[in-house]
Amino acid sequence: LFKIILTIGLAGVFAVGIFVGIVFLKAPIIDTDDIYSHISQRSVMYDSEGNEIENLYFSDGNRTVIQYDEIPENMINAVIAIEDQKFWSHNGFNFIRVIGAIRDSIFGGGEISGTSTVTQQLARNVYLAEIKSQRSISRKLTEMYCTIILEKNMSKEQIMEAYLNTIYLGFNSYGVEAAAESYFDVSAKDLTL
């Protein structure tokens, strides 16, 4: 009986390993040096005198990419406080939140939610945009693979910058610059607390 259970267990581990390997092989190619090529930005039209006359953007919304040093520290702190309190210290995953969410799912009878870090959300928004609403093991594994690559090749500041340039903030605004302009008619660097 022990040998049968051991054989079944080893076969299960082998099958899971093969499944994970296949998912990782099918994952998108991650070029962290060119992360913004995966998202669109708005185009600005000017008249012959250099005055802005129109902003044009595609269906994924209004976006203007800005640099990390143009993002107010209060904005970064607010995002970390709400989305990912361990952002500066984890390696892409908050395992305590994952375990807590699994526990809540088992005892609460619901789905697993609230486990994604800022890096995982960035991976999902940039590299998995077409499938990000799917709730599947293969999508989550692909997201994990992308997260590992992002954390390995980008600094925390670069990850935060890219995240704050890609997230949807309502009013057809993607990223903090577009949201600051839409809601407050100022550039993100001029936002106050």
Side-chain angles (χ1 to χ4, degrees), residues 52-168:
E52 184 177 315
I53 57 173
E54 187 67 56
N55 289 300
L56 305 171
Y57 46 85
F58 295 101
S59 62
D60 62 344
N62 182 14
R63 176 184 293 115
T64 300
V65 172
I66 59 175
Q67 301 299 307
Y68 182 82
D69 60 0
E70 297 176 273
I71 303 168
E73 187 177 346
N74 286 327
M75 171 68 73
I76 294 166
N77 292 338
V79 168
I80 289 171
I82 293 169
E83 294 291 331
D84 189 356
Q85 294 177 5
K86 303 286 185 189
F87 174 74
W88 298 111
S89 60
H90 65 60
N91 291 320
F93 305 98
N94 187 332
F95 293 105
I96 293 171
R97 283 176 54 189
V98 171
I99 291 167
I102 292 169
R103 182 201 62 221
D104 292 346
S105 177
I106 291 169
F107 294 111
E111 294 180 354
I112 294 177
S113 63
T115 62
S116 293
T117 63
V118 163
T119 313
Q120 287 175 281
Q121 292 177 55
L122 174 62
R124 184 171 51 244
N125 290 340
V126 174
Y127 299 107
L128 306 174
E130 297 84 29
I131 62 168
K132 71 180 180 180
S133 62
Q134 290 179 7
R135 294 199 179 265
S136 68
I137 292 172
S138 63
R139 200 269 308 156
K140 198 66 174 173
L141 286 170
T142 305
E143 177 185 305
M144 291 173 75
Y145 169 78
C146 295
T147 298
I148 291 167
I149 301 298
L150 290 173
E151 284 281 338
K152 180 181 175 198
N153 295 309
M154 296 175 73
S155 70
K156 289 291 189 175
E157 290 80 7
Q158 290 172 316
I159 290 169
M160 182 59 69
E161 173 192 303
Y163 175 75
L164 289 174
N165 278 315
T166 59
I167 60 171
Y168 179 66

Side-chain angles (χ1 to χ4, degrees), residues 1 8 12 17 25 41 44 66 80 109 124 140 165-166 169 185:
L1 181 62
I8 291 171
L25 285 173
Q41 295 186 59
V44 180
I66 59 175
I80 289 171
R124 184 171 51 244
K140 198 66 174 173
N165 278 315
T166 59
L169 293 167
D185 200 28

